[in-house]
Amino acid sequence: FYGLNVGSYKTQIEDSKEISAVAISQWSKFLDILKTSNEDLINKNIKNYLDIEKFSMWNAIYLIFGNNHAQSINNIKWYYNPITGLFEPVIDDVFLGNESYAKVETTTYNEVINSILKSQIVRDSRLRSLDILVNKEKDFILKTIKDIYLKISPYIYTGAEGYNYNLKGVGLKNPKMLHYTHQKRYNMLKNNLDNLKKSISANRLFIEAKYYSANK
């Protein structure tokens, strides 16, 4: 695992002994391109540094969570894949909210992510990923949330909760609140998926992709 924590174009290496010179060199070149904010240049070179498909799915996943916390400057971790020679964002520190797609997009303060999203190729790929999540995988996502809750709830009621409730931010002081908390979050995620689906159906999200295809 080649770990890179990145914020505002600055690189912090988690363990320099495990970071190859190739990864460092590639990341530096990638940042140089992103810092130009030149849409044409970024669009032309993005495929040489970024795994576009994996970035797009990562970006789409945090959008359905309705919060941009996961891509703030201190929360993104990157994986350099030595086989493909490309960088992939790692899902980490996801926060569930109910902000709209437009709200999340306009409150992204990570310069690296903003520059990557200048690429039409990346935005087009992200729209396809969103379509998969909200139209093809929605039932699977919601079912998985329910299944996980059913598996862990007995242990939280009788075991883990007793150990955690005194730790701030870890457990619930009243175990009876567990189902309410789960249902509230489940409904929030479902609403996020429904709202994104409506946006896609109304072509508000896919207009960029259609415009791009028409002008190739």
Side-chain angles (χ1 to χ4, degrees):
F1 182 90
Y2 300 104
L4 295 167
N5 284 332
V6 183
S8 300
Y9 301 125
K10 296 180 180 179
T11 305
Q12 295 179 343
I13 309 300
E14 288 186 346
D15 187 348
S16 58
K17 294 179 181 179
E18 296 185 11
I19 303 295
S20 72
V22 174
I24 296 174
S25 175
Q26 284 294 93
W27 185 254
S28 179
K29 292 176 183 177
F30 188 28
L31 290 185
D32 284 343
I33 292 172
L34 295 178
K35 283 187 287 188
T36 67
S37 294
N38 185 313
E39 295 183 24
D40 291 334
L41 184 64
I42 293 172
N43 208 47
K44 180 180 178 180
N45 292 279
I46 194 82
K47 65 181 183 298
N48 297 322
Y49 301 96
L50 181 72
D51 188 315
I52 295 173
E53 184 176 344
K54 291 184 178 178
F55 174 88
S56 299
M57 184 56 72
W58 168 85
N59 200 250
I61 287 173
Y62 87 69
L63 283 176
I64 72 172
F65 273 83
N67 192 279
N68 63 10
H69 180 74
Q71 51 88 60
S72 63
I73 61 175
N74 296 319
N75 289 339
I76 298 182
K77 294 183 178 180
W78 296 87
Y79 169 71
Y80 176 73
N81 188 328
I83 297 176
T84 63
L86 301 174
F87 291 98
E88 309 167 11
V90 179
I91 295 178
D92 184 58
D93 202 0
V94 175
F95 184 84
L96 181 62
N98 57 5
E99 295 179 348
S100 67
Y101 166 85
K103 177 69 173 179
V104 174
E105 282 286 84
T106 55
T107 55
T108 299
Y109 302 112
N110 189 312
E111 297 175 52
V112 173
I113 299 302
N114 285 336
S115 291
I116 290 174
L117 289 174
K118 289 180 180 294
S119 167
Q120 180 67 61
I121 295 173
V122 173
R123 294 198 302 271
D124 189 30
S125 180
R126 181 181 63 176
L127 293 177
R128 290 195 297 271
S129 295
L130 275 172
D131 181 49
I132 290 172
L133 291 176
V134 304
N135 287 316
K136 298 177 182 178
E137 300 294 338
K138 175 187 172 184
D139 292 339
F140 172 77
I141 292 171
L142 295 177
K143 182 179 183 301
T144 299
I145 296 295
K146 283 187 175 182
D147 288 346
I148 292 175
Y149 169 73
L150 291 174
K151 288 180 180 179
I152 69 174
S153 58
Y155 303 100
I156 293 179
Y157 277 123
T158 60
E161 189 62 31
Y163 291 105
N164 290 338
Y165 76 92
N166 285 321
L167 300 177
K168 184 179 180 181
V170 176
L172 298 170
K173 290 187 177 181
N174 182 358
K176 293 181 180 179
M177 293 175 60
L178 179 63
H179 178 72
Y180 167 77
T181 302
H182 157 71
Q183 195 61 45
K184 181 179 179 181
R185 293 181 177 180
Y186 174 88
N187 290 338
M188 191 180 294
L189 182 60
K190 183 178 183 299
N191 288 336
N192 290 346
L193 287 164
D194 288 340
N195 289 335
L196 279 169
K197 185 173 183 177
K198 290 178 183 177
S199 295
I200 290 175
S201 298
N203 289 322
R204 287 195 292 270
L205 292 182
F206 279 105
I207 188 169
E208 282 189 338
K210 291 180 179 179
Y211 177 83
Y212 179 68
S213 297
N215 287 275
K216 277 187 176 180

